[in-house]
Structure formats: structure tokens, C-alpha cells
Amino acid sequence: MVDFGSLVGTKKDVVIYDLEGLYGSLDVKSTHTEPRPAQKEAMIELTRRQAEKDVVLKISTGAGKTTVGLLYLLGHMKLSRAQAVYLCPTLQLVEQVLEEASRLGIAANGYPGGETYPAPACMRGDAILVCTYEKLFNAKSTFLRNDVNLVPCAIVLDDAHAGAEIVRKQFTLHIRDAACTALLEILGPACQAYSKPKWLDIESGDPMASMEVPHWIWTDHVAKIQEALHGFADSNDFCFVWPYLAEILPVCRCVLGGGGAEIAPEVLPTHSVRPFAQASHRLFMSATLADDSLLTREFGTSPDAAAQPILPPSDRGLGERMILAPSLVEPELDRSYAIGLCAELAKAHNVVVLTSSGLLAKDWVAAGAQYFAGDSFAEGVRCLRNPSSGLRFAVFAQRYDGVDLPDDACRVLVIDGIPYGESLIDRQDQQMTLIPGGVRNRTIFRIEQGMGRAVRSHADFAVVLLVGQDLTTYVGRHDVLQAMTSDTRNQIHLSVTLAELVRKSQPEHPQQAIRQVIGQCLGRDAGWKDFYNQRVREVAKNAPTISEPRIRLASEERESYLLAMNNGAADAKDRFQRAIRSSDLAGEELGIYLQRLARIAYLADPAEGLGIQQGARKHSLAVAIAPAVPRKPSTPGAKTVAERFCAWFGKFTAGNAAVIEAKRIADSLTLAAKPKAVEAAIQALGEALGADSGRPERDYGVGPDNLWFWGKTAYVIEVKNENQDSLHKCDSGQMHDSLQWARENFPEYADHLQPLVVAKVHTVDRVAHYPPGTRVLMQEGCDTIGLALHQVCQKFAKLGPVFLTPELVLEEMGKFGLLPEQFIGRHTRGIA
């Protein structure tokens, strides 16, 4: 046997960081003999930037980023002779990375949950360690054991956008049972004084209730909270999170719910996770990342790295997706229609449904789908990828990322409703649509990630159905589309065009038209492929716009919070304040940032903190009300009713999206719903009708349930839909109080107040004395005004945007009985 190694001599000790050369030296399988152009470009750029601690790589799904990530780690591992770690969102992706490493001839080992020690080869730096984000980011991580003490020379964060969501969950403390009781006892008096209605919902155990503890109340009680919760430190709910939060509670958020509470840091303290923070080199890889500031804010990624990502020029982008929203073709083709359609499609193709909850999944199960809950989703994925399993119709809840369903594993993908998170903080943030780095961006990430589950390479194809009025309306908004990646935005625009083409192809038979166009995609119709290539693939691929100012702002915010965590609140406030002043923030977004600044400022100077909070409230009604702020909404603007309707209708990219929203509003105007749902419906109705519409009691703790500034009149609205037989004395007293509140806060409307009750009945008890002129909006009136709104939206959708002028809107609203001066006479009744 010839000892070839001895003939090489000392050259084997010379290590050069050259990823392209390293690839050529691997004993790869025949499928990997040559790197793809995009991979080669990424390798060259990573080699050039080898010395940098942080690098961001944006590359499309299926373009081979796993190979690039493994080579990145192998190169650093050979250079430093130290450990290297590859992080994945799910166990399924861990398996895929290990399979890819085997094909490349790269040594790699998994590090599963429950395993104390990594493989010896990984500890020696002879093999790459592959594990999930949860394995590293938890307070009892085995990485930190004294007899492991693994701090890698390099780390790869695959699907970094999904990883940020996972890590945020890992830093969120879920509080229930005795711990929650102790927390509520401490916060109860102050929270009840702040907002009695919300507190009563919490106390009653309302599962839909949520209330964020105002930061000054939280700070004033944080010492007692720290002491009370410390007693639960060793419990299963606490032990993996509490050590991260115990010392930084003052800069944490707390949201209370009817069945528990959540505490989470405003900015993730990933700096305290030593294996991550002290890794010499970190590669953040993402296929979908429209918000470049997210990595900087959540992970502390270098601002320079976030602003200068690697974007391989040869990256061919996403695979082929025919995105269809049936309700854009015909608003009556609702969710129930889509469920039936998918049941039929599942007879010939694999259909996968992604929902936000198990409750929504039940409707699909009733139509024949198999529901894979929790950890069983991995089994569902395996069955879908195995043609002999017989599984063709599957539904998953809260699985918008980390699931690969290539080729025939999924040919029809359904996104059922807006993919909001299920946590209390997610629910609270749904009310703050512009929250920076928050719910809107997280929701967009989930939509984009969800749509990508079925198309895993440039050559793959699938039909994607957007189901539900809320989702169709949401993706139809201009601001939402602008926050998406250019590829997704182009495909959504194409879906609007496609809906119009389908509608025109068979105007009398829209259901048949939808089936036909789906068949053209799945049947690989040459005309469809040419049309898609022309509209999406051949469109000049512009480099994504990267907002360096927003990245710098995210960095300054993070550094300010880290200062505050280390008892430097005064300096942190000054730093963050300078960053906000030098930014382009305005309106609602500015208000939310000012509240974050106020949290820090209150730690050093309570009076200054509350002053900043007052300023935040002037910009955003979504933030908390500081004690000294007059509890009243913004004064009505100068826009006319018709101008406001035009602005509302114009939010949507397609007229049918506005029609769908109008239908949703009309459907929600049912007095059989809970009072809060009716209040929300009345607020949405007011906005659509061109009113300055708000909910004072919910937002300020005083005043009427709803308040419309509509035309020359302020409508003071109380919702009493739970009254079955009559309106009571206490109800009339409440209306008198609300009218007085309106007079005091809006003296200019003192002579133009209209008391309005929303109720099933219009008779009153003999001892009840409602103000003169009180009117009642009953179910009949809700139905007529809801229908009229829907019809006027349908008309303007057919007319097209060129006809959406205040003059024509005013004329058409009058024809449909939707003007303020027509409302009382047409849609309400007097009390009896």
C-alpha cells in the first residue's frame, strides 16, 4: 500500500481560505461535480470577506445556499482548527443539511435535543455540528456546560428570518397558574386604575382579552415582580427562559391575557448567549428578507453587514407560483368554496393547507384533510414526500417556515387567513400594524415563507391559493406589498392580473374558469409558462433597495437597550433620542419609537419618561396613555366624507380587494356576536363610510364604546347588543355620561352630538330616560347599511380607479343612502 500522505510533505499544513478551491478538493457525489453559478459567486465573495465577523447572504430557495453555508464553516474550521456550528429552524432541515454534507463529502454530525455532549469529531473541529436554534438559544443549553463549553470559530444561521422568530420565542416567558396569580396580585390595582374595562376582561378569563402593562406601571412594580417570580425559577415554564430575563426585567414588555401572561425583552439579549456572541465569524443566510434592519435589531448583526449583503448576480429567483385569490375573481367565491375546490383537487394532486390555528384546521378536516398538529408535522411532511403513503390532503397550523415540500409533495398550497402568531404579544401587536420590526413585518415574513413551502427550486412549480377575506384584503394593500420582496410583489401583481383574466374568460361561470386556469398550471400549459416567464422571470431584476438609515436606527436602538440593561439608562436615552431625531420617522411609526424611548427614559427620570410618552401619544393612538395626557382622541380632520372614502378605497391595489373588505365588514355587523366584536365592526364601518372612527372606552378607558366624527355631527355610540328585551336605566345613564364626556372633550361639537345605541331592541324600561333624539341601530339597519356599502364598492370596482373622485363618490354614496344626513332616517329607529 502506497502512503500518498507522506509524499505530500509539509504542504498539507498550509491552509488557505478559498471556498471555490475547497469545493474542488472535496470528494463529492456525482450530483455535485460543479457548483452552480450563484453558488460560485457566493463562494468568491465569501472568500474575499473571510476576515469579517458578520456576513449576510441572500440567495433564493433551491439555489444551493446549504452547500455554501457548509463550505463557509469548513473553511473556517480548517483555518482555525476549532468547532463550527450550523443552525436550522427545524429537525427536518437538520436532516437535510446532514444529507447535503454527506453528498459533498464534508464530515458533519447532528446535536439533537436531549443529547448532552456533541460528537467528539465536532469538539475536535473535524466535523461540523448541526442543530436547531432551540438547542443553542435556551438558558440551559448544553453548549454552556462546563464540560462542553463550546464557543465556535464560525456559525451559520440558516433561514435567519425564521431563526429570529424562534429565538424571540425562546426569550419569551409564558406565565400561568400560581405564577400568573402572583403577578396579577401585584399589577392588579394599578392596571385596573389604568383601564378598568380591559382589566375586567382579564379577570373574567376572557380568552380573547389582552392588555399590555404600561411601561411606567411595570417599572414601578418590577422589584416586587422579580421577587415574586424568582420563586418559580426552577419550574419547567421558567428554567429555560428566566435566567435570561431575571436581570433585565425593567426593559421587558409584559402582556396580560385571560388565561396567562407573557414577558419578553423589547430587544433580544442575544449578546448573553456566549457561543453565538463570541463566535469569530457569523453567516446569516436568508431566502426571504425584505426588512434588512431585522437582523441588526434582533441578532446584533453588524450594520455594515446588513447594508452590504451578498447577492449573487446569477441567482435565478423563485420558482413558478400561480397565485390565485378566488374571491378576487368573484367575491362570492369565499372560504367555503375554496375548501370544496381543494377537496376536489386533492383527488389528483397533493394539497397542503397552512392555517394559523387548530380551530381553522377543523374546517379542512371536515372536508377530508388530515391534520398534523404540533410535532407530528414532521410525519406529515414525510408522508407527503412519499408517493406510496396515500396522503394527498394535509393541513398544518403555525408552520409557515422550516418545511420543505418540493415537486409532487405539494402542487397546491393554501394560505388560510392572515398568518398571525398565537402568542399574547402577537395578539397585542396586531393592533399596532406599523410596529417597527414587529407584527406587520413578521406577518409578511410568514406569508412569503408560507407561499414558498411548495416551490423549493427555480424549476419547481405550484398553485398557491390565498383564502379568507382578511388575507385577500391584507395582501391587496399598497403598504403591505411595498414591504414584500420584489419577487413576491411581482407575483402578487400577477395574481391581480390573473384574477381579471379569469373573470373575463368566463364571466358567467367563474368557478369553471378557476378550475381551468389551475389545470393550465398543473398541466404545464405552454401558454401559461410563456406568460409567467414574460411577466415575472424576464422582468429586469433590480437590486433590492436597502435602507441604510433604518439599519443604523435599528443598531442604535439595540445598543441603547443594551446600555439600559447595564444600568446606563441616562446615556441610553440620549443615544436613542439622537437616533430618532436624525431619522425619517413620522406619524404612527414615530409614536411607537417614542414609546420605546420613553421606557428607557423612565428608568433614569420618570418625569421625563412620561413627558416623552405624552409626545408618543400625539403621534399614535396605539401606544399607552401617560397619566397626564388628556384622554381624548385626535380631533377630526378637514377631509370631507367623500375624500375619506376615496382614501379608504385607495388603500387596496385592486377594486375587488375593497369589495371583499366591505363584504367582511357587512358580515361582521351581526348583533349575535360578542359586544367587543360588534364595537370593532362599528369602528370598521365608520372608517369605510368616511368617518373619523374610534373606540374611546377601549383606547382611553372613558367615553363611549364608539365615536364617529361624520360630516358635521359627532355620533356618540353605545353597544348594547346583549340586551334581549329592552334597554335599561343603567344603559341610559351610561349614554348621558358619554355625551357629557364628548361635550367636555369636543366643545366644538357640543351642539352637534347624536346619541346612538346599537342593539337588538328599541324599547326602553319605564325608568330609563335616554337623551332626547336617541336613535337605535338594529340588525335590520346593520344589514341595510352593510349591503349598501358592499354595493357601492362593487360599483366603483367595476368603474375602475379613474372614476374614484370625491365628486362621483359623493353622488354614488347619496344614491345608496350612505351619506351622514341619510343615515339616521334610513338605517336607525327611535326609542319606544
Side-chain angles (χ1 to χ4, degrees), residues 193-245:
Y194 174 75
S195 178
K196 189 170 184 179
K198 290 182 180 179
W199 182 255
L200 291 175
D201 289 339
I202 300 296
E203 275 195 323
S204 69
D206 183 347
M208 297 307 297
S210 69
M211 173 186 181
E212 180 159 6
V213 179
H215 64 78
W216 59 91
I217 294 177
W218 177 255
T219 301
D220 291 347
H221 295 82
V222 75
K224 290 182 179 179
I225 293 168
Q226 200 168 32
E227 182 178 354
L229 296 185
H230 181 74
F232 302 92
D234 295 328
S235 67
N236 289 334
D237 287 342
F238 275 63
C239 65
F240 294 101
V241 185
W242 179 249
Y244 284 142
L245 304 187

Side-chain angles (χ1 to χ4, degrees), residues 64-86:
K65 68 179 181 344
T66 303
T67 294
V68 176
L70 288 167
L71 281 169
Y72 172 86
L73 293 178
L74 182 62
H76 281 295
M77 197 166 64
K78 285 182 174 292
L79 198 64
S80 304
R81 300 186 184 279
Q83 302 100 335
V85 174
Y86 193 117

Side-chain angles (χ1 to χ4, degrees), residues 294-311:
L294 178 138
L295 296 180
T296 296
R297 188 177 188 274
E298 303 289 58
F299 284 122
T301 308
S302 156
D304 290 337
Q308 301 169 34
I310 296 175
L311 301 164

Side-chain angles (χ1 to χ4, degrees), residues 689-711:
L689 293 175
D692 183 350
S693 177
R695 294 171 64 184
E697 186 178 40
R698 182 199 66 175
D699 294 335
Y700 319 115
V702 294
D705 292 327
N706 291 81
L707 181 63
W708 288 358
F709 294 99
W710 197 25

Side-chain angles (χ1 to χ4, degrees), residues 441-457:
N441 283 343
R442 291 204 297 273
T443 301
I444 290 169
F445 292 157
R446 292 185 188 121
I447 291 173
E448 292 198 271
Q449 281 301 291
M451 291 195 300
R453 295 308 90 204
V455 179
R456 307 306 298 163
S457 72

Side-chain angles (χ1 to χ4, degrees), residues 126-168:
D126 291 333
I128 294 171
L129 186 152
V130 186
C131 66
T132 62
Y133 282 88
E134 289 95 338
K135 182 70 175 177
L136 174 58
F137 289 96
N138 74 80
K140 286 190 171 294
S141 173
T142 51
F143 278 78
L144 302 171
R145 285 175 57 101
N146 290 334
D147 52 355
V148 175
N149 194 28
L150 197 163
V151 178
C153 67
I155 188 168
V156 163
L157 292 87
D158 200 356
D159 285 344
H161 48 278
E165 289 249 344
I166 293 168
V167 174
R168 180 159 284 283

